[in-house]
Structures are given as structure tokens and as C-alpha cells.
Amino acid sequence: MGIDYFYIEEGEFDAHLFHQGTFYESYKFLGAHKMLENEGYVRFIVWAPRAKEVFLTGNFNHWNETSLPLERIPESGLWNICLKGVSEFDAYKYRIITQENEVLMKADPYAFHAEERPKSASKYYDIEGFQWSDKKWIKERKEKDYLNGPLSIYEVNLLSWKKKDGDIQYSYDDLADELVRYVKKMGYTHIELMPVMEHPFDGSWGYQITGFFAPTSRFGTPKDFMNFVDKCHKNGIGVILDWVPAHFAKDGHALGKFDGSYLFESLDRAKAENDMWGTYNFDFTKPEVLSFLISNAMYWLEYYHIDGIRLDAVSYILYYDLSGKGIKNIYGGNENLEAIEFFKRLNSIIKKKHPETLLIAEESTSYEGLTTPLEEGGLGFTHKWNMGWMNDTLEYMKIDPLFRGKRQDLLTFGLMYAFNENFVLPLSHDEVVHGKKSLLDKMPGSYRDKFANLRLLYLFMYAYPGKKLLFMGGEFAQFKEWDEWKCLDWNLLEYDSHSSVQKFVRDLNKLYKEEEALYINDTSYDGFNWIEHENHKESIIAFERIGKNGENLIAVFNFTPVERIDYPIGVEEEGSYGMIITSDHKRYGGETKRIKTYKTKKESIHGRDFRLELTLPSLGGVILKKKN
């Protein structure tokens, strides 16, 4: 009995939008799809314009390499076949014959599912039909204002967050129970997942992708991942995905030289090769690549109800010269003009269809207008990682406290540009890996001083203008730097010093959501006033966070290991000010036993008519609020 297949008739498929770069739902047509008009058949379509021949091979034909030839769609670089007898989870690849008669075995660029590493074939999977139960979340999400609302992000690598006994990895279902419960308990508003798109090498952390439309099969099926997102939403937690439109893995089964030529990458070898990561760069001049990438972003929003996308390595997309190859644009500049237009188009399409989506750029240069709206001439991202704040603050915290006074500018300079963009303050995975030490181990001093410094850092972060992001393990003071091959050291929570930091971070998240002055004016000087920033000798700074209705907070930080008694701080209004949190409280592993209240004195200081005289703990900070 022969294999039952046929081809799309001319005129049945309009490839015009795909080749024009405006087919933003190309995932509904390319790849493998159940045919509604021909029951029992699955349609396969692949883009391979320079291929001499293309064959389909898989479980359904016992991996025969020549029995299922694809046919080119007229006047297109697309090939197709409609096959009967394909079952869900059947593995398959495309056997591509190049113009030089080289044989390539390629996974499907649009596959929704893939074999688990080290295998590399695609799997046929029916993506339709998941029963979502997050209608309430989706409705409320549309009404949220994440520019002027709280945004506290827990960054996670799913493979190394936690494992079962015997070093057994969690599944999506396990994570839907345990990770979601934990993040809810800790009070975060969002989880950010390091790339979940299919990738062959755990050590790439997911940033070298081979299957852009397939949630990694390490943890289960695509619908298992949908269930994870659904559980997050039902527990009031948003989900942000790391997304990598810069480059892709060179593995032989993946996108690289897909039809024997540079296809998804540039025909210019210097532009195609990404020497820094050993990958290929996407070519933003090709309309089909634009259709692929924008469709991919839309796919995660549409099918997985994702709340936000964090775009990785944006600087390396915006600028040619970061590659060190001396590449210039047509005007002699170093900006990648086509990439800039790609970002504008991407953000425009997402804003039009899903205006509530968080669009976060990891960008390390001073490129202007990244979070400026498109209609005002910007790129239209909603947020940008504040890499300058991260680098300066961590550099300061690593200094011996006795010498910090000489570098107080590292804490204060950031306010010169803090409102140029809509910033997220990231203490991310990049800062706690490969010899950089954990956040706790970066801190100087004795064992006790390290914990005090870390709590001080966290209080400073939550008081400072900008949204918050902390990588997993930081919330309980992981002592070892992150190792992608091992789970976090959860046993540390048996020790009071670590469990106390966890309580502190949980209480910071709670306070952050309760006190609107900490978030309501994050993007404007309307929300911030310096009180004291010139006391280099004693390494003390103080500032005011300003709410909408006079609900202001006073934040004071002592970065030396010396307690300051009756330290004067100027305030605008007479009255009593209560301490609403201190990093030095006994509950968190410090020395302060009770929450204090201070009354003003009618003596001017710091340009204000009244003063408070505070007890500032060594290596500690306090936040105060005026009592009614």
C-alpha cells in the first residue's frame, strides 16, 4: 500500500505577504498543520528557496529519505506536501539537497515541538485546543499601568532552579505547582524565564536557539508549558520570556545555511558570523526573516498568553561596530539601520494587537529613545535594563566600606540619567556566574558584614527609581555563584542568616506594592528629591520618593560599618515619622529590635525647614513615612 500524499494546487496558497515581510501569522501556514479541509492530512510547508530538492522523512515513512518529495509552490521559495497518516508526536526532518548536491537534514523552523536533546528532530504537534482559565487575568492585565505601577521580577533558569532527589529535573507541571507557589509567597509580580525556546546545549542557558516556536521538550509538551503560564496567571503572576532575535545556533539541524546558502543569515559573511557567541546573526534586510521573527514574537503572545518579552543583546543588534569588524551602514555610520526599522515594526505590531505587553530591552549603550513611544520618534520599548545602575552599584558595594567615600559618585551619578528611559534595575544572572561570584560573596567584610551589605543593597534597590529584577538564589543569599548544571542551594534556608534575607526580600516586595511612592513616579523627577548626597566622608545618602497625594517616603542609607547616632536629616513637614522598614532589623538578621518613630525639630537643614535626628545602623538603611 503506497503513501497517501498530494500537493497544494496553484492559487491555493498566497505566499505574497511572507515574501513581503508582513506575514505576522506565518506560523499558521509554514510548518506542520492539520488540514481542516482534508481530514486526516497534515500539510508541511518549508522555506528553502535555493534548494535543488526537498524531501520529508520521519516516523510516518520509517525515515525513508526519498519516498516523500516536496513540491515547490510556483513563484515562491516555499515547498509543500500534504500527507496522510501523521500522528501527534511523530518525529520528522526535511532532507534538503543543495545546489552543490550536499545533503542536509534539517529540523522544521516553524515546528511547535521537538525531540528532547540530544535528539534533534521536530515533532508534529497540534497546538490548538488548550483550555485556558485565565480570562480574569487577561481582562485585568489590559487595565494595568506598568509604567506607573509596581513591577518586581524574579528571573529564573528552569533547569537549575530546583531539582528532585537524584538530580532529576522538574517538569512544567512540577514548576506550575512549586515555582508558582514560591513566587506568589515571595510577592513578586512577574517571573522572567531565561529562554524556553528549544536549544541543544544546557550551557548556552537557552540563548543559542534551534527551535524558535517550540518550548523546550526538557520539561514536557507545549500544552504543559501553557498550563504553567495558566497557573501563573491564576495566581496573579505575569510571565516574561527572554527572546533572542539577534542570533541563532549553528547546529547542523538548525537554521544555519538552511538550504545550503546563507538564508536566515546575511549573504555577507562578515555580517552573518557572530564570532562572540559562535552563532549566526539574523539578516534584517530579508523580508522573510522579518515575517519569521515578528511572527515568532506574536506566536508566544497569542498561543501562550505571555505578558512580556525581554529582548536579549539589543546593543549587538543596533550597532555593527560591537562586532569589531569595522562594518558600516550606507551612510558610513555604525548603526544597523535595518535592525532599527525591525524594532520599530516589531513594537508597532505588538502595540497594535497586544498593547498591554511589556517590551523590555537588554541594552548596554546610551542609545537614545529606546523607550520613547514610536509616535514620538523612539523605538517603542516599554522598558530598558539599567545596566549603568547595575554596574556602578555593584562596583560600589564591592569596595571596602572604609574606602567607599572616595567613590560615592557611583551611587549618585545614576540620577543624572535615571529618567532618560523607563528603567528596570537588574541584578541578573550575568552578574553571578563564571567567576563573578554570587551577590553575597561580592560583599566585603566579615560573614556578618556580607549579609548586612547585601540587605543594604536590596533596600537601596527597592527605594531607587526603577522597576526591580532579581535573579533566583539572590533572594536567600546563595553563597556560591550560579552553576547552570546544578540546582540552587536550598539547604541554606536551614540557616537563620539565609532565611532572614529571604524574609527581607519578601517584605520588600510587600512594601513595594503597598507604598505607591516607590513606583508611581518612576519615570520622572516628580518622584524623586535628593536630601543628602554630599556626605562622602561618612558614606551616607538620603533621598525622598514622592507619591501622588503627599504620601512621600524618606530613604536613608549608611554604607559604613559605624552606627550614626542623632544623624540629622531634613524634611519638609513637621510631625512624627515612623520607620516602616530597616535592613538592620533583628527579623532580618540585624541588630535593631524595634521599629522607631522620630519627631521633627524646628531647625533647618538640607534646604528644609525641619529636621529628624536618626539612629542609622551600621551598614544599614531605613525608610520612613510621616504619620497622619
Side-chain angles (χ1 to χ4, degrees), residues 44 54-61 63-64 68 70 90-96 104-108 115 118-123 252-254:
F44 295 82
V54 180
F55 298 88
L56 179 66
T57 180
N59 292 145
F60 33 74
N61 71 340
W63 293 95
N64 185 301
L68 294 173
L70 274 71
D90 272 353
Y92 68 95
K93 281 188 176 181
Y94 294 111
R95 180 174 180 266
I96 295 176
L104 305 176
M105 298 297 289
K106 292 290 188 178
D108 188 344
E115 290 186 309
K119 294 183 178 180
S120 59
S122 301
K123 285 184 175 181
H253 68 282

PDB file of all heavy atoms in Angstrom, residues 44 54-61 63-64 68 70 90-96 104-108 115 118-123 252-254:
ATOM      1  N   PHE A  44       2.697  20.197   5.273  1.00  0.00           N
ATOM      2  CA  PHE A  44       4.047  20.628   5.615  1.00  0.00           C
ATOM      3  C   PHE A  44       4.502  21.683   4.607  1.00  0.00           C
ATOM      4  O   PHE A  44       4.443  21.429   3.388  1.00  0.00           O
ATOM      5  CB  PHE A  44       5.026  19.459   5.586  1.00  0.00           C
ATOM      6  CG  PHE A  44       4.769  18.397   6.617  1.00  0.00           C
ATOM      7  CD1 PHE A  44       3.818  17.400   6.401  1.00  0.00           C
ATOM      8  CD2 PHE A  44       5.481  18.386   7.814  1.00  0.00           C
ATOM      9  CE1 PHE A  44       3.585  16.411   7.348  1.00  0.00           C
ATOM     10  CE2 PHE A  44       5.256  17.406   8.768  1.00  0.00           C
ATOM     11  CZ  PHE A  44       4.307  16.416   8.535  1.00  0.00           C
ATOM     12  N   VAL A  54      13.727  18.879  -2.048  1.00  0.00           N
ATOM     13  CA  VAL A  54      13.403  18.771  -0.623  1.00  0.00           C
ATOM     14  C   VAL A  54      12.540  17.529  -0.414  1.00  0.00           C
ATOM     15  O   VAL A  54      11.583  17.290  -1.165  1.00  0.00           O
ATOM     16  CB  VAL A  54      12.655  20.020  -0.111  1.00  0.00           C
ATOM     17  CG1 VAL A  54      12.341  19.871   1.376  1.00  0.00           C
ATOM     18  CG2 VAL A  54      13.466  21.286  -0.355  1.00  0.00           C
ATOM     19  N   PHE A  55      12.890  16.745   0.607  1.00  0.00           N
ATOM     20  CA  PHE A  55      12.127  15.553   0.954  1.00  0.00           C
ATOM     21  C   PHE A  55      11.712  15.631   2.421  1.00  0.00           C
ATOM     22  O   PHE A  55      12.386  16.262   3.246  1.00  0.00           O
ATOM     23  CB  PHE A  55      12.959  14.286   0.743  1.00  0.00           C
ATOM     24  CG  PHE A  55      13.387  14.054  -0.669  1.00  0.00           C
ATOM     25  CD1 PHE A  55      14.570  14.610  -1.150  1.00  0.00           C
ATOM     26  CD2 PHE A  55      12.617  13.283  -1.529  1.00  0.00           C
ATOM     27  CE1 PHE A  55      14.971  14.409  -2.464  1.00  0.00           C
ATOM     28  CE2 PHE A  55      13.011  13.068  -2.837  1.00  0.00           C
ATOM     29  CZ  PHE A  55      14.196  13.637  -3.307  1.00  0.00           C
ATOM     30  N   LEU A  56      10.599  14.983   2.741  1.00  0.00           N
ATOM     31  CA  LEU A  56      10.147  14.851   4.121  1.00  0.00           C
ATOM     32  C   LEU A  56      10.432  13.425   4.576  1.00  0.00           C
ATOM     33  O   LEU A  56      10.162  12.459   3.851  1.00  0.00           O
ATOM     34  CB  LEU A  56       8.646  15.135   4.204  1.00  0.00           C
ATOM     35  CG  LEU A  56       7.988  15.027   5.583  1.00  0.00           C
ATOM     36  CD1 LEU A  56       8.523  16.107   6.527  1.00  0.00           C
ATOM     37  CD2 LEU A  56       6.466  15.155   5.453  1.00  0.00           C
ATOM     38  N   THR A  57      10.989  13.288   5.769  1.00  0.00           N
ATOM     39  CA  THR A  57      11.276  11.951   6.290  1.00  0.00           C
ATOM     40  C   THR A  57      10.996  11.920   7.788  1.00  0.00           C
ATOM     41  O   THR A  57      11.239  12.911   8.485  1.00  0.00           O
ATOM     42  CB  THR A  57      12.733  11.540   5.998  1.00  0.00           C
ATOM     43  OG1 THR A  57      12.978  10.237   6.521  1.00  0.00           O
ATOM     44  CG2 THR A  57      13.733  12.525   6.607  1.00  0.00           C
ATOM     45  N   GLY A  58      10.440  10.802   8.247  1.00  0.00           N
ATOM     46  CA  GLY A  58      10.086  10.742   9.659  1.00  0.00           C
ATOM     47  C   GLY A  58       9.534   9.397  10.070  1.00  0.00           C
ATOM     48  O   GLY A  58       9.602   8.410   9.323  1.00  0.00           O
ATOM     49  N   ASN A  59       8.944   9.352  11.259  1.00  0.00           N
ATOM     50  CA  ASN A  59       8.360   8.112  11.772  1.00  0.00           C
ATOM     51  C   ASN A  59       7.314   7.557  10.805  1.00  0.00           C
ATOM     52  O   ASN A  59       7.188   6.330  10.654  1.00  0.00           O
ATOM     53  CB  ASN A  59       7.695   8.354  13.122  1.00  0.00           C
ATOM     54  CG  ASN A  59       8.675   8.683  14.233  1.00  0.00           C
ATOM     55  OD1 ASN A  59       8.375   9.475  15.107  1.00  0.00           O
ATOM     56  ND2 ASN A  59       9.865   8.093  14.204  1.00  0.00           N
ATOM     57  N   PHE A  60       6.575   8.454  10.184  1.00  0.00           N
ATOM     58  CA  PHE A  60       5.433   8.047   9.363  1.00  0.00           C
ATOM     59  C   PHE A  60       5.843   7.313   8.083  1.00  0.00           C
ATOM     60  O   PHE A  60       5.030   6.664   7.448  1.00  0.00           O
ATOM     61  CB  PHE A  60       4.573   9.268   8.998  1.00  0.00           C
ATOM     62  CG  PHE A  60       5.371  10.531   8.821  1.00  0.00           C
ATOM     63  CD1 PHE A  60       6.166  10.729   7.703  1.00  0.00           C
ATOM     64  CD2 PHE A  60       5.350  11.505   9.799  1.00  0.00           C
ATOM     65  CE1 PHE A  60       6.911  11.872   7.560  1.00  0.00           C
ATOM     66  CE2 PHE A  60       6.092  12.660   9.670  1.00  0.00           C
ATOM     67  CZ  PHE A  60       6.891  12.853   8.545  1.00  0.00           C
ATOM     68  N   ASN A  61       7.113   7.451   7.639  1.00  0.00           N
ATOM     69  CA  ASN A  61       7.569   6.663   6.482  1.00  0.00           C
ATOM     70  C   ASN A  61       8.846   5.883   6.823  1.00  0.00           C
ATOM     71  O   ASN A  61       9.649   5.605   5.933  1.00  0.00           O
ATOM     72  CB  ASN A  61       7.781   7.549   5.252  1.00  0.00           C
ATOM     73  CG  ASN A  61       8.988   8.464   5.377  1.00  0.00           C
ATOM     74  OD1 ASN A  61       9.465   8.731   6.484  1.00  0.00           O
ATOM     75  ND2 ASN A  61       9.487   8.958   4.251  1.00  0.00           N
ATOM     76  N   TRP A  63      11.468   6.738   8.153  1.00  0.00           N
ATOM     77  CA  TRP A  63      12.661   7.531   7.874  1.00  0.00           C
ATOM     78  C   TRP A  63      13.257   7.235   6.491  1.00  0.00           C
ATOM     79  O   TRP A  63      14.456   7.395   6.268  1.00  0.00           O
ATOM     80  CB  TRP A  63      13.716   7.359   8.972  1.00  0.00           C
ATOM     81  CG  TRP A  63      13.229   7.948  10.276  1.00  0.00           C
ATOM     82  CD1 TRP A  63      12.618   7.284  11.295  1.00  0.00           C
ATOM     83  CD2 TRP A  63      13.275   9.323  10.659  1.00  0.00           C
ATOM     84  NE1 TRP A  63      12.281   8.154  12.299  1.00  0.00           N
ATOM     85  CE2 TRP A  63      12.684   9.420  11.939  1.00  0.00           C
ATOM     86  CE3 TRP A  63      13.763  10.494  10.059  1.00  0.00           C
ATOM     87  CZ2 TRP A  63      12.549  10.626  12.629  1.00  0.00           C
ATOM     88  CZ3 TRP A  63      13.649  11.688  10.747  1.00  0.00           C
ATOM     89  CH2 TRP A  63      13.046  11.758  12.012  1.00  0.00           C
ATOM     90  N   ASN A  64      12.374   6.849   5.585  1.00  0.00           N
ATOM     91  CA  ASN A  64      12.806   6.719   4.186  1.00  0.00           C
ATOM     92  C   ASN A  64      13.148   8.111   3.655  1.00  0.00           C
ATOM     93  O   ASN A  64      12.360   9.044   3.789  1.00  0.00           O
ATOM     94  CB  ASN A  64      11.683   6.084   3.356  1.00  0.00           C
ATOM     95  CG  ASN A  64      12.099   5.807   1.930  1.00  0.00           C
ATOM     96  OD1 ASN A  64      12.475   6.705   1.189  1.00  0.00           O
ATOM     97  ND2 ASN A  64      12.017   4.545   1.543  1.00  0.00           N
ATOM     98  N   LEU A  68       9.048  10.738   0.086  1.00  0.00           N
ATOM     99  CA  LEU A  68       8.121  11.865   0.236  1.00  0.00           C
ATOM    100  C   LEU A  68       8.757  13.152  -0.279  1.00  0.00           C
ATOM    101  O   LEU A  68       9.196  14.004   0.484  1.00  0.00           O
ATOM    102  CB  LEU A  68       7.711  12.029   1.707  1.00  0.00           C
ATOM    103  CG  LEU A  68       6.873  10.901   2.312  1.00  0.00           C
ATOM    104  CD1 LEU A  68       6.680  11.119   3.807  1.00  0.00           C
ATOM    105  CD2 LEU A  68       5.522  10.791   1.611  1.00  0.00           C
ATOM    106  N   LEU A  70       8.909  16.892  -1.647  1.00  0.00           N
ATOM    107  CA  LEU A  70       8.084  18.103  -1.592  1.00  0.00           C
ATOM    108  C   LEU A  70       8.091  18.769  -2.966  1.00  0.00           C
ATOM    109  O   LEU A  70       8.997  18.552  -3.777  1.00  0.00           O
ATOM    110  CB  LEU A  70       8.609  19.084  -0.538  1.00  0.00           C
ATOM    111  CG  LEU A  70       8.110  18.859   0.900  1.00  0.00           C
ATOM    112  CD1 LEU A  70       8.712  17.606   1.505  1.00  0.00           C
ATOM    113  CD2 LEU A  70       8.421  20.069   1.779  1.00  0.00           C
ATOM    114  N   ASP A  90       4.801  12.406  16.116  1.00  0.00           N
ATOM    115  CA  ASP A  90       5.681  11.820  15.109  1.00  0.00           C
ATOM    116  C   ASP A  90       6.873  12.747  14.873  1.00  0.00           C
ATOM    117  O   ASP A  90       6.708  13.957  14.684  1.00  0.00           O
ATOM    118  CB  ASP A  90       4.939  11.623  13.781  1.00  0.00           C
ATOM    119  CG  ASP A  90       4.237  10.280  13.698  1.00  0.00           C
ATOM    120  OD1 ASP A  90       4.439   9.452  14.608  1.00  0.00           O
ATOM    121  OD2 ASP A  90       3.492  10.050  12.719  1.00  0.00           O
ATOM    122  N   ALA A  91       8.073  12.162  14.884  1.00  0.00           N
ATOM    123  CA  ALA A  91       9.286  12.944  14.629  1.00  0.00           C
ATOM    124  C   ALA A  91       9.528  13.032  13.123  1.00  0.00           C
ATOM    125  O   ALA A  91       9.203  12.104  12.376  1.00  0.00           O
ATOM    126  CB  ALA A  91      10.480  12.308  15.322  1.00  0.00           C
ATOM    127  N   TYR A  92      10.115  14.167  12.691  1.00  0.00           N
ATOM    128  CA  TYR A  92      10.386  14.336  11.261  1.00  0.00           C
ATOM    129  C   TYR A  92      11.491  15.360  11.037  1.00  0.00           C
ATOM    130  O   TYR A  92      11.815  16.166  11.910  1.00  0.00           O
ATOM    131  CB  TYR A  92       9.123  14.772  10.519  1.00  0.00           C
ATOM    132  CG  TYR A  92       8.633  16.166  10.835  1.00  0.00           C
ATOM    133  CD1 TYR A  92       8.984  17.257  10.030  1.00  0.00           C
ATOM    134  CD2 TYR A  92       7.820  16.406  11.932  1.00  0.00           C
ATOM    135  CE1 TYR A  92       8.538  18.548  10.317  1.00  0.00           C
ATOM    136  CE2 TYR A  92       7.364  17.688  12.223  1.00  0.00           C
ATOM    137  CZ  TYR A  92       7.720  18.748  11.416  1.00  0.00           C
ATOM    138  OH  TYR A  92       7.287  20.010  11.697  1.00  0.00           O
ATOM    139  N   LYS A  93      12.076  15.298   9.852  1.00  0.00           N
ATOM    140  CA  LYS A  93      13.028  16.309   9.382  1.00  0.00           C
ATOM    141  C   LYS A  93      12.817  16.531   7.888  1.00  0.00           C
ATOM    142  O   LYS A  93      12.158  15.731   7.205  1.00  0.00           O
ATOM    143  CB  LYS A  93      14.480  15.864   9.637  1.00  0.00           C
ATOM    144  CG  LYS A  93      14.955  16.045  11.068  1.00  0.00           C
ATOM    145  CD  LYS A  93      16.459  15.757  11.192  1.00  0.00           C
ATOM    146  CE  LYS A  93      16.941  16.041  12.597  1.00  0.00           C
ATOM    147  NZ  LYS A  93      18.401  15.791  12.749  1.00  0.00           N
ATOM    148  N   TYR A  94      13.403  17.606   7.406  1.00  0.00           N
ATOM    149  CA  TYR A  94      13.450  17.864   5.971  1.00  0.00           C
ATOM    150  C   TYR A  94      14.832  17.448   5.454  1.00  0.00           C
ATOM    151  O   TYR A  94      15.865  17.835   6.021  1.00  0.00           O
ATOM    152  CB  TYR A  94      13.218  19.338   5.659  1.00  0.00           C
ATOM    153  CG  TYR A  94      11.830  19.817   6.012  1.00  0.00           C
ATOM    154  CD1 TYR A  94      11.623  20.709   7.057  1.00  0.00           C
ATOM    155  CD2 TYR A  94      10.719  19.372   5.290  1.00  0.00           C
ATOM    156  CE1 TYR A  94      10.351  21.153   7.382  1.00  0.00           C
ATOM    157  CE2 TYR A  94       9.438  19.799   5.610  1.00  0.00           C
ATOM    158  CZ  TYR A  94       9.261  20.691   6.667  1.00  0.00           C
ATOM    159  OH  TYR A  94       7.998  21.122   6.981  1.00  0.00           O
ATOM    160  N   ARG A  95      14.830  16.663   4.398  1.00  0.00           N
ATOM    161  CA  ARG A  95      16.083  16.280   3.733  1.00  0.00           C
ATOM    162  C   ARG A  95      16.242  17.204   2.530  1.00  0.00           C
ATOM    163  O   ARG A  95      15.488  17.127   1.563  1.00  0.00           O
ATOM    164  CB  ARG A  95      16.037  14.817   3.302  1.00  0.00           C
ATOM    165  CG  ARG A  95      17.293  14.329   2.602  1.00  0.00           C
ATOM    166  CD  ARG A  95      17.206  12.827   2.356  1.00  0.00           C
ATOM    167  NE  ARG A  95      18.381  12.294   1.685  1.00  0.00           N
ATOM    168  CZ  ARG A  95      18.484  12.138   0.356  1.00  0.00           C
ATOM    169  NH1 ARG A  95      17.454  12.464  -0.438  1.00  0.00           N
ATOM    170  NH2 ARG A  95      19.584  11.644  -0.182  1.00  0.00           N
ATOM    171  N   ILE A  96      17.214  18.093   2.637  1.00  0.00           N
ATOM    172  CA  ILE A  96      17.384  19.140   1.632  1.00  0.00           C
ATOM    173  C   ILE A  96      18.623  18.842   0.783  1.00  0.00           C
ATOM    174  O   ILE A  96      19.716  18.609   1.319  1.00  0.00           O
ATOM    175  CB  ILE A  96      17.512  20.514   2.309  1.00  0.00           C
ATOM    176  CG1 ILE A  96      16.181  20.857   3.011  1.00  0.00           C
ATOM    177  CG2 ILE A  96      17.890  21.596   1.309  1.00  0.00           C
ATOM    178  CD1 ILE A  96      16.206  22.152   3.795  1.00  0.00           C
ATOM    179  N   LEU A 104      21.443  17.855   3.425  1.00  0.00           N
ATOM    180  CA  LEU A 104      21.254  18.437   4.756  1.00  0.00           C
ATOM    181  C   LEU A 104      20.009  17.842   5.397  1.00  0.00           C
ATOM    182  O   LEU A 104      18.977  17.702   4.745  1.00  0.00           O
ATOM    183  CB  LEU A 104      21.105  19.961   4.663  1.00  0.00           C
ATOM    184  CG  LEU A 104      22.208  20.736   3.945  1.00  0.00           C
ATOM    185  CD1 LEU A 104      21.843  22.218   3.856  1.00  0.00           C
ATOM    186  CD2 LEU A 104      23.540  20.560   4.651  1.00  0.00           C
ATOM    187  N   MET A 105      20.103  17.515   6.684  1.00  0.00           N
ATOM    188  CA  MET A 105      18.950  17.027   7.426  1.00  0.00           C
ATOM    189  C   MET A 105      18.543  18.115   8.418  1.00  0.00           C
ATOM    190  O   MET A 105      19.236  18.344   9.416  1.00  0.00           O
ATOM    191  CB  MET A 105      19.285  15.732   8.153  1.00  0.00           C
ATOM    192  CG  MET A 105      19.680  14.581   7.237  1.00  0.00           C
ATOM    193  SD  MET A 105      18.349  14.074   6.108  1.00  0.00           S
ATOM    194  CE  MET A 105      17.231  13.284   7.264  1.00  0.00           C
ATOM    195  N   LYS A 106      17.440  18.783   8.136  1.00  0.00           N
ATOM    196  CA  LYS A 106      17.059  19.976   8.883  1.00  0.00           C
ATOM    197  C   LYS A 106      15.759  19.781   9.666  1.00  0.00           C
ATOM    198  O   LYS A 106      14.788  19.204   9.170  1.00  0.00           O
ATOM    199  CB  LYS A 106      16.877  21.154   7.924  1.00  0.00           C
ATOM    200  CG  LYS A 106      18.169  21.636   7.269  1.00  0.00           C
ATOM    201  CD  LYS A 106      19.076  22.327   8.274  1.00  0.00           C
ATOM    202  CE  LYS A 106      20.273  22.984   7.627  1.00  0.00           C
ATOM    203  NZ  LYS A 106      21.118  23.692   8.612  1.00  0.00           N
ATOM    204  N   ALA A 107      15.761  20.312  10.893  1.00  0.00           N
ATOM    205  CA  ALA A 107      14.518  20.407  11.661  1.00  0.00           C
ATOM    206  C   ALA A 107      13.639  21.495  11.042  1.00  0.00           C
ATOM    207  O   ALA A 107      14.118  22.346  10.294  1.00  0.00           O
ATOM    208  CB  ALA A 107      14.823  20.723  13.118  1.00  0.00           C
ATOM    209  N   ASP A 108      12.372  21.457  11.375  1.00  0.00           N
ATOM    210  CA  ASP A 108      11.408  22.420  10.838  1.00  0.00           C
ATOM    211  C   ASP A 108      11.541  23.748  11.593  1.00  0.00           C
ATOM    212  O   ASP A 108      11.353  23.781  12.818  1.00  0.00           O
ATOM    213  CB  ASP A 108       9.998  21.857  11.006  1.00  0.00           C
ATOM    214  CG  ASP A 108       8.931  22.689  10.311  1.00  0.00           C
ATOM    215  OD1 ASP A 108       9.210  23.848   9.954  1.00  0.00           O
ATOM    216  OD2 ASP A 108       7.815  22.156  10.131  1.00  0.00           O
ATOM    217  N   GLU A 115      12.138  16.913  19.565  1.00  0.00           N
ATOM    218  CA  GLU A 115      12.673  15.838  20.385  1.00  0.00           C
ATOM    219  C   GLU A 115      13.555  16.430  21.481  1.00  0.00           C
ATOM    220  O   GLU A 115      14.144  17.497  21.328  1.00  0.00           O
ATOM    221  CB  GLU A 115      13.506  14.888  19.524  1.00  0.00           C
ATOM    222  CG  GLU A 115      12.706  14.052  18.554  1.00  0.00           C
ATOM    223  CD  GLU A 115      13.584  13.037  17.842  1.00  0.00           C
ATOM    224  OE1 GLU A 115      14.629  13.434  17.290  1.00  0.00           O
ATOM    225  OE2 GLU A 115      13.212  11.849  17.822  1.00  0.00           O
ATOM    226  N   PRO A 118      19.688  14.714  23.449  1.00  0.00           N
ATOM    227  CA  PRO A 118      20.487  15.176  22.310  1.00  0.00           C
ATOM    228  C   PRO A 118      19.861  14.907  20.943  1.00  0.00           C
ATOM    229  O   PRO A 118      20.477  15.199  19.930  1.00  0.00           O
ATOM    230  CB  PRO A 118      21.772  14.372  22.467  1.00  0.00           C
ATOM    231  CG  PRO A 118      21.317  13.072  23.064  1.00  0.00           C
ATOM    232  CD  PRO A 118      20.202  13.444  24.000  1.00  0.00           C
ATOM    233  N   LYS A 119      18.655  14.346  20.898  1.00  0.00           N
ATOM    234  CA  LYS A 119      17.999  14.165  19.606  1.00  0.00           C
ATOM    235  C   LYS A 119      17.604  15.530  19.052  1.00  0.00           C
ATOM    236  O   LYS A 119      17.476  16.499  19.809  1.00  0.00           O
ATOM    237  CB  LYS A 119      16.777  13.263  19.751  1.00  0.00           C
ATOM    238  CG  LYS A 119      17.116  11.823  20.132  1.00  0.00           C
ATOM    239  CD  LYS A 119      15.868  10.966  20.196  1.00  0.00           C
ATOM    240  CE  LYS A 119      16.196   9.519  20.520  1.00  0.00           C
ATOM    241  NZ  LYS A 119      14.966   8.670  20.573  1.00  0.00           N
ATOM    242  N   SER A 120      17.364  15.618  17.758  1.00  0.00           N
ATOM    243  CA  SER A 120      17.208  16.941  17.153  1.00  0.00           C
ATOM    244  C   SER A 120      16.091  17.052  16.124  1.00  0.00           C
ATOM    245  O   SER A 120      15.981  18.069  15.441  1.00  0.00           O
ATOM    246  CB  SER A 120      18.522  17.360  16.489  1.00  0.00           C
ATOM    247  OG  SER A 120      18.911  16.428  15.496  1.00  0.00           O
ATOM    248  N   ALA A 121      15.269  16.024  15.984  1.00  0.00           N
ATOM    249  CA  ALA A 121      14.177  16.110  15.007  1.00  0.00           C
ATOM    250  C   ALA A 121      13.020  16.949  15.552  1.00  0.00           C
ATOM    251  O   ALA A 121      12.879  17.138  16.760  1.00  0.00           O
ATOM    252  CB  ALA A 121      13.671  14.713  14.658  1.00  0.00           C
ATOM    253  N   SER A 122      12.212  17.449  14.633  1.00  0.00           N
ATOM    254  CA  SER A 122      10.962  18.109  15.007  1.00  0.00           C
ATOM    255  C   SER A 122       9.901  17.049  15.277  1.00  0.00           C
ATOM    256  O   SER A 122      10.028  15.905  14.862  1.00  0.00           O
ATOM    257  CB  SER A 122      10.489  19.029  13.880  1.00  0.00           C
ATOM    258  OG  SER A 122      11.458  19.998  13.587  1.00  0.00           O
ATOM    259  N   LYS A 123       8.849  17.471  15.995  1.00  0.00           N
ATOM    260  CA  LYS A 123       7.716  16.586  16.239  1.00  0.00           C
ATOM    261  C   LYS A 123       6.442  17.266  15.763  1.00  0.00           C
ATOM    262  O   LYS A 123       6.246  18.460  16.017  1.00  0.00           O
ATOM    263  CB  LYS A 123       7.577  16.275  17.735  1.00  0.00           C
ATOM    264  CG  LYS A 123       8.584  15.293  18.288  1.00  0.00           C
ATOM    265  CD  LYS A 123       8.247  15.015  19.755  1.00  0.00           C
ATOM    266  CE  LYS A 123       9.147  13.957  20.343  1.00  0.00           C
ATOM    267  NZ  LYS A 123       8.782  13.679  21.758  1.00  0.00           N
ATOM    268  N   GLY A 252      23.914  21.702  13.066  1.00  0.00           N
ATOM    269  CA  GLY A 252      23.629  21.317  11.690  1.00  0.00           C
ATOM    270  C   GLY A 252      22.170  21.151  11.353  1.00  0.00           C
ATOM    271  O   GLY A 252      21.770  21.330  10.197  1.00  0.00           O
ATOM    272  N   HIS A 253      21.330  20.821  12.343  1.00  0.00           N
ATOM    273  CA  HIS A 253      19.913  20.600  12.055  1.00  0.00           C
ATOM    274  C   HIS A 253      19.097  21.887  12.104  1.00  0.00           C
ATOM    275  O   HIS A 253      17.898  21.867  11.817  1.00  0.00           O
ATOM    276  CB  HIS A 253      19.323  19.610  13.063  1.00  0.00           C
ATOM    277  CG  HIS A 253      19.247  20.131  14.454  1.00  0.00           C
ATOM    278  ND1 HIS A 253      20.351  20.196  15.283  1.00  0.00           N
ATOM    279  CD2 HIS A 253      18.214  20.636  15.187  1.00  0.00           C
ATOM    280  CE1 HIS A 253      19.999  20.688  16.450  1.00  0.00           C
ATOM    281  NE2 HIS A 253      18.713  20.965  16.424  1.00  0.00           N
ATOM    282  N   ALA A 254      19.745  23.000  12.457  1.00  0.00           N
ATOM    283  CA  ALA A 254      19.003  24.240  12.752  1.00  0.00           C
ATOM    284  C   ALA A 254      18.954  25.186  11.548  1.00  0.00           C
ATOM    285  O   ALA A 254      19.086  24.765  10.398  1.00  0.00           O
ATOM    286  CB  ALA A 254      19.630  24.911  13.965  1.00  0.00           C
TER     287      ALA A 254
END
